[in-house]
C-alpha cells in the first residue's frame, strides 16, 4: 500500500512526498483565505467553498488552519470563529448548524506513544464526528477518534478525549457530561437570564412546524 492509502485506511503511515503534495494544494487555498480582506465576506465564503468542497452556507473567520480541507465534511450553516485548527488527516464529519468558537482545535492526527515507534516517522489519523446542532466553546481540544452527538454544548477550555452523547452539556479536562439539555433550557440566554419577549417572539415566528 502507498502511504496515502495507509493514511486513508487509518493505518500507520509516513508523510512522504505524495502526502506533502496534497498538503501543498490545501496550503495555497489557506494562503488566500488567511490573507484576504477580512471585510470581504462574500470572497471569504467563496474560498471556504473551494477549501471544503461541498458546503451549504459555511463560513470561516480567518485565520484558519487544516492539513487537507477535502477531508472535512460539513453540513448546513457551519461556522468557525477565529483561529480554529482542524487537523484532518482522517475524516472530520460535522453535521448541520454547528458552531466552533475561537481557538477550537479538532485533531484526527496522532503519533505512537513509545519513542522508538514515534521517532520512526510513522503517525496515524482517526476520524472525528460531530452531530447536528453542536456548539463547541472557545479553546476546546477534540482528540482523535472522538464522536460528539447531536444537540451538544461543549464548555470552553475542554479537552474531549471520549465520546459525548446527544442532548447534553459537557465540559472539563477531561471533558465529562455535566447535565442533559431539556425543554426548560429553551428560553435560557445566559445562566438564569431568559431571552427577552421581543427576541423570543421572533424565534417562535421563525420556527418551522
Amino acid at each position: 500500500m502507498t502511504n496515502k492509502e495507509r493514511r486513508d485506511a487509518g493505518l500507520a503511515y509516513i508523510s512522504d512526498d505524495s502526502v506533502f503534495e496534497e498538503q501543498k494544494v490545501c496550503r495555497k487555498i489557506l494562503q488566500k483565505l488567511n490573507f484576504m480582506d477580512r471585510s470581504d465576506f462574500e470572497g471569504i465564503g467563496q474560498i471556504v467553498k473551494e477549501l471544503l468542497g461541498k458546503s451549504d452556507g459555511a463560513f470561516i473567520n480567518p485565520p484558519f488552519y487544516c492539513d487537507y480541507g477535502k477531508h472535512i465534511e460539513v453540513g448546513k450553516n457551519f461556522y468557525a470563529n477565529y483561529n480554529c485548527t482542524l487537523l484532518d488527516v482522517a475524516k472530520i464529519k460535522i453535521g448541520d448548524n454547528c458552531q466552533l468558537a475561537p481557538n477550537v482545535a479538532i485533531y484526527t492526527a496522532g503519533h505512537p506513544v513509545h519513542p522508538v515507534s514515534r521517532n520512526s516517522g510513522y503517525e496515524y489519523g482517526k476520524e472525528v464526528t460531530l452531530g447536528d446542532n453542536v456548539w463547541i466553546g472557545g479553546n476546546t481540544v477534540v482528540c482523535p477518534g472522538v464522536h460528539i452527538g447531536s444537540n451538544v454544548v461543549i464548555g470552553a477550555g475542554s479537552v474531549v478525549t471520549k465520546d459525548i452523547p446527544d442532548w447534553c452539556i459537557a465540559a472539563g479536562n477531561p471533558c465529562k457530561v455535566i447535565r442533559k439539555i431539556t425543554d426548560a433550557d429553551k428560553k435560557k440566554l445566559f445562566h438564569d437570564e431568559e431571552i427577552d419577549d421581543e427576541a423570543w417572539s421572533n424565534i417562535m415566528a421563525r420556527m418551522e412546524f
Side-chain angles (χ1 to χ4, degrees), residues 176-193:
K176 296 180 179 179
V177 172
I178 296 173
R179 67 174 179 86
K180 299 292 286 185
I181 295 173
T182 70
D183 283 348
D185 294 300
K186 200 174 277 187
K187 204 175 178 182
K188 292 288 179 65
L189 181 66
F190 179 70
H191 295 308
D192 291 329
E193 180 184 345

Side-chain angles (χ1 to χ4, degrees), residues 74-148:
V74 302
K76 298 177 182 177
N77 304 317
F78 171 72
Y79 177 76
N81 216 327
Y82 306 107
N83 207 44
C84 287
T85 299
L86 275 62
L87 296 187
D88 57 327
V89 169
K91 179 75 76 176
I92 297 175
K93 294 183 179 179
I94 299 175
D96 294 340
N97 306 310
C98 289
Q99 300 171 312
L100 308 184
N103 302 305
V104 166
I106 299 176
Y107 301 148
T108 68
H111 304 269
V113 172
H114 197 286
V116 169
S117 304
R118 188 167 66 251
N119 294 340
S120 69
Y122 275 98
E123 54 187 299
Y124 62 85
K126 297 299 178 182
E127 180 178 287
V128 171
T129 65
L130 279 62
D132 296 332
N133 309 310
V134 173
W135 174 26
I136 299 185
N139 294 292
T140 291
V141 175
V142 180
C143 293
V146 165
H147 301 279
I148 296 174

